[in-house]
């Protein structure tokens, strides 16, 4: 099993969710995060005092899938989250040792 | 003695209520500008003024301010508000007492803007109590009581540009000087946590200010009407002055700037509103907005952490308004006023304004410094570094302003995205 993590633009969440439903992914977890890569933040001015806001709001999506589903999933995320402009985000994949469904105690692929 | 006028009395009573509402308005104006961990600390300082100053004013404050006394001190003839019926006229004297009480409440509350995020609550409580008795009441006596020395010299201060705003403004700076900086100022992140609160507070202040300024006519009459009109014009044009400076200097006009401009204009028109023409109000408003906006850069240069710019808004705005009253006052507006320099009056009119300002600033600065020093070297003015990091809400009051998390089953839901269900697909 693999954990696929994607950091994307916040307004792309619905597009990604729709794309993942299209390839049979049944669940995902999102969280609000902040960060920066090549896309830098913005400045704000309050009564003449200027502040540089470096971190840009992003959404982190996490999905655990079977090994054979990884390529399709990564492609689906990349395609649906892409705008072509700087700041579209990243996707990365790491191996997962164990997964347990809390309700039933099922383990491994059965828990996905 | 005049016969009691129900119209005048009604207006002064309504005005008293409007002025009281300014203090919670101020609490939100300031509260929105501090960081989220200190918003209750700010609201509490303002609500404490509503509690304590009402008590202090009732017991000794009014007597010191409006007792006969001498030119500098009203004495204790009206101790605990006794024997007040003597002064009944078109309005009952108690209506005047109540109206003035609300001024006494908001004036020390204005100072809270410079102490934001770091002052001990105990120290603040003692400070405002002493300050109200030793600074506000005497200066109110000088300028507004018939026996006051500045009143007799003829200084024009219709609703308190000198007594309230310049006075609180200089006190705020002096207190901030002895209190010291917030940890991390000026390089840290001190952005406002809730700008909509700032605009909400501004709206409350603005409406309350009609009572403050037009109520100061102490009757429902033509001077009250022109004071109300001038108040509106001064606030409105100062918005334009402030955001014009922002657009030119910073590139963007901001909502915080619009709110700040409105308050700066209200401050500057306060001494003038019952003496100047609407045209004068336009000039005063535009100048106040622009000059106060520029004045916000001073604190960084002198290194005093006047956190929410009480100096730039209330000191600069109050002094500017009081001086400009000496130029723009006209007997056409108020026959018991004066003609200012622009209406053929002598320069001595401006001179009297400057004298009143100078005396107020000098006295306020010195006595504020003495109170601040006494507290600094006894119970201390500032919270510990640890408490400052935690935030005043938790450290001083044991409360949290915002419980915006779903963790722990609070019922708050965040970060939910929703998709609109098409009409035809509805269940």
């Amino acid at each position: 099993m693999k954990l696929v993590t994607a950091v994307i633009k916040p307004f792309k969440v619905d597009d990604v969710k729709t794309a993942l439903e299209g390839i049979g992914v049944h669940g995902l977890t999102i969280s609000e995060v902040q960060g920066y890569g090549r896309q830098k933040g913005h400045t704000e001015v309050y009564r003449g005092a200027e502040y540089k806001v470096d971190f840009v709001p992003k959404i982190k999506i996490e999905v655990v899938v079977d090994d054979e589903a990884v390529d399709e999933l990564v492609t689906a995320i990349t395609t649906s989250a892409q705008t072509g402009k700087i700041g579209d985000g990243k996707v990365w994949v790491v191996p997962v040792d164990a997964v347990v469904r809390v309700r039933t105690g099922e383990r491994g692929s059965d828990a996905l | 003695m005049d016969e009691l006028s129900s119209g005048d009395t009604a207006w002064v009573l309504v005005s008293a209520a409007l002025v009281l509402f300014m203090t919670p308005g101020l609490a939100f104006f300031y509260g929105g500008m501090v960081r989220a961990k200190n918003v209750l600390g700010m609201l509490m300082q303002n609500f404490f003024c509503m509690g304590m100053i009402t008590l202090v004013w009732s017991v000794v404050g009014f007597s010191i301010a409006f007792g006969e006394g001498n030119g500098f001190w009203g004495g204790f003839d009206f101790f605990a508000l006794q024997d007040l019926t003597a002064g009944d006229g078109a309005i009952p004297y108690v209506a005047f007492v109540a109206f003035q009480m609300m001024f006494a409440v908001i004036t020390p509350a204005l100072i809270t803007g410079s102490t934001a995020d770091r002052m001990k609550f105990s120290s603040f409580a003692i400070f405002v109590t002493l300050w109200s008795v030793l600074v506000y009441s005497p200066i109110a006596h000088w300028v507004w009581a018939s026996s006051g020395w500045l009143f007799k010299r003829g200084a024009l201060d219709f609703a308190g540009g000198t007594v309230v705003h310049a006075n609180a403004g200089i006190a705020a700076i002096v207190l901030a000087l002895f209190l010291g900086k917030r940890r991390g100022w000026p390089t840290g992140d001190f952005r406002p946590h809730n700008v909509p609160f700032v605009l909400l507070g501004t709206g409350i202040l603005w409406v309350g200010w009609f009572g403050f300024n037009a109520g100061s006519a102490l009757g429902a009459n033509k001077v009250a009407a022109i004071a109300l009109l001038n108040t509106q014009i001064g606030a409105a044009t100062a918005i334009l002055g402030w955001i014009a400076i922002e657009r030119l200097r910073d590139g963007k006009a901001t909502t915080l700037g619009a709110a700040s401009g409105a308050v700066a204009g209200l401050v500057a028109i306060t001494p003038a509103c019952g003496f100047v023409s609407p045209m004068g109000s336009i000039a005063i408003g535009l100048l106040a907005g622009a000059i106060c906006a520029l004045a916000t850069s001073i604190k960084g240069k002198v290194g005093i952490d006047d956190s929410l710019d009480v100096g730039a808004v209330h000191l600069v705005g109050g002094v500017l308004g009081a001086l400009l009253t000496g130029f723009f006052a006209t007997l056409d507006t108020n026959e018991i006023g004066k003609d200012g320099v622009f209406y053929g009056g002598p320069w001595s009119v401006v001179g009297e304004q400057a004298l009143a300002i100078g005396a107020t600033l000098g006295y306020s600065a010195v006595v504020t410094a003495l109170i601040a020093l006494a507290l600094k070297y006894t119970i201390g003015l500032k919270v510990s570094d640890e408490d400052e990091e935690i935030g005043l809400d938790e450290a001083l009051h044991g409360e949290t302003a915002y419980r915006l998390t779903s963790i722990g089953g609070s019922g708050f839901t965040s970060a939910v995205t929703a998709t609109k269900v098409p009409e035809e697909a509805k269940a």
Side-chain angles (χ1 to χ4, degrees):
Chain A
M1 292 168 295
K2 295 279 193 284
L3 168 64
V4 178
T5 305
V7 173
I8 61 164
K9 286 182 169 167
F11 72 92
K12 278 293 187 180
V13 168
D14 278 345
D15 291 344
V16 172
K17 177 167 155 270
T18 307
L20 265 49
E21 281 168 351
I23 60 166
V25 171
H26 300 302
L28 56 88
T29 304
I30 66 168
S31 37
E32 292 177 274
V33 294
Q34 299 178 34
Y36 69 88
R38 291 199 179 85
Q39 183 194 15
K40 297 300 179 193
H42 63 281
T43 56
E44 296 181 2
V45 183
Y46 297 95
R47 287 182 170 171
E50 189 169 323
Y51 294 91
K52 202 163 171 297
V53 182
D54 289 323
F55 291 99
V56 184
K58 295 286 168 187
I59 296 296
K60 183 162 82 173
I61 296 179
E62 289 164 304
V63 189
V64 179
V65 288
D66 280 326
D67 290 1
E68 57 270 24
V70 167
D71 285 344
E72 192 186 10
L73 176 61
V74 171
T75 306
I77 293 173
T78 310
T79 315
S80 58
Q82 203 168 66
T83 68
K85 296 204 180 76
I86 201 160
D88 272 353
K90 298 270 188 299
V91 184
W92 61 90
V93 181
V94 292
V96 172
D97 290 341
V99 175
V100 182
R101 189 190 302 278
V102 172
R103 175 169 55 87
T104 58
E106 291 165 281
R107 289 174 179 265
S109 292
D110 293 339
L112 294 178
Chain B
M1 196 153 287
D2 298 343
E3 204 171 321
L4 187 122
S5 158
S6 57
D8 288 349
T9 305
W11 172 236
V12 173
L13 292 177
V14 169
S15 291
L18 285 169
V19 178
L20 185 273
F21 198 36
M22 289 171 72
T23 300
L26 182 74
F28 278 94
F29 177 70
Y30 284 161
M33 275 187 267
V34 300
R35 289 166 293 171
K37 64 183 178 180
N38 297 316
V39 60
L40 295 178
M42 177 54 73
L43 299 185
M44 185 63 170
Q45 288 190 345
N46 284 274
F47 270 69
F48 180 81
C49 287
M50 293 162 74
M52 181 56 92
I53 306 303
T54 298
L55 173 64
V56 168
W57 186 253
S58 302
V59 178
V60 292
F62 180 80
S63 187
I64 294 167
F66 290 100
E68 183 63 27
N70 54 40
F72 299 93
W73 181 261
F76 297 106
D77 290 350
F78 296 145
F79 178 78
L81 302 181
Q82 298 173 91
D83 303 322
L84 291 175
T85 50
D88 283 350
I91 62 170
Y93 199 59
V94 285
F96 177 71
V97 174
F99 180 66
Q100 285 295 337
M101 177 185 277
M102 309 317 175
F103 281 61
V105 168
I106 193 167
T107 306
L110 295 170
I111 300 171
T112 61
S114 81
T115 69
D117 299 0
R118 63 200 187 283
M119 191 166 182
K120 277 187 178 179
F121 183 59
S122 54
S123 218
F124 173 81
I126 297 169
F127 176 84
V128 289
T129 304
L130 293 175
W131 192 87
S132 182
V133 173
L134 301 176
V135 180
Y136 179 77
S137 284
I139 291 176
H141 182 79
W142 300 354
V143 179
W144 285 333
S146 56
S147 56
W149 71 280
L150 287 170
F151 180 88
K152 284 183 176 165
R153 293 188 63 101
L156 298 175
D157 187 1
F158 191 75
T162 306
V163 178
V164 173
H165 296 287
N167 180 11
I170 191 73
I173 289 175
V174 171
L175 181 57
L177 178 66
F178 290 111
L179 179 58
K181 302 165 187 177
R182 288 169 292 179
R183 282 168 61 79
W185 187 82
T187 50
D189 186 354
F190 295 103
R191 288 176 296 157
H193 91 283
N194 190 335
V195 177
F197 267 2
V198 179
L199 277 88
L200 174 70
T202 303
I204 295 172
L205 278 170
W206 192 329
V207 171
W209 227 295
F210 291 128
F212 195 93
N213 283 357
S216 289
L218 296 176
N221 52 40
K222 191 175 169 186
V223 173
I226 195 142
L228 187 145
L229 178 65
N230 285 338
T231 300
Q232 173 67 18
I233 293 171
T237 49
I239 292 179
L240 306 180
W242 190 298
I243 63 173
I245 291 292
E246 284 192 330
R247 183 73 177 77
L248 295 170
R249 180 187 61 189
D250 310 325
K252 286 177 179 150
T254 68
T255 49
L256 178 64
S260 308
V263 174
L266 289 162
V267 168
I269 205 64
T270 293
C273 60
F275 299 118
V276 303
S277 70
M279 192 62 83
S281 300
I282 292 173
I284 291 171
L286 287 171
L287 283 168
I291 292 171
C292 292
L294 293 169
T296 55
S297 66
I298 297 171
K299 67 178 183 184
K301 290 180 183 131
V302 298
I304 297 175
D305 183 10
D306 172 13
S307 312
L308 312 181
D309 300 299
V310 188
V313 175
H314 294 275
L315 175 58
V316 173
V319 168
L320 187 70
L323 287 176
L324 290 176
T325 304
F327 289 92
F328 287 101
T330 165
L331 289 169
D332 292 341
T333 293
N334 190 339
E335 59 193 18
I336 61 163
K338 292 179 192 171
D339 273 331
V341 170
F342 292 158
Y343 291 84
W347 278 94
S348 63
V349 177
V350 178
E352 286 299 332
Q353 296 300 99
L355 175 71
I357 294 162
T360 299
L361 297 188
Y363 177 81
S364 179
V366 169
V367 181
T368 301
L370 293 174
I371 301 170
L373 281 168
L375 287 167
K376 183 168 179 145
Y377 292 106
T378 50
I379 61 172
L381 288 169
K382 201 173 177 208
V383 298
S384 67
D385 288 353
E386 191 186 351
D387 283 354
E388 198 180 335
E389 285 302 324
I390 292 168
L392 303 185
D393 297 3
E394 185 186 323
L396 299 184
H397 305 296
E399 294 174 290
T400 305
Y402 307 104
R403 199 177 159 208
L404 303 182
T405 173
S406 58
I407 296 168
S410 73
F412 182 84
T413 49
S414 66
V416 173
T417 65
T419 315
K420 176 88 162 51
V421 178
E423 286 298 318
E424 60 275 14
K426 282 205 287 196

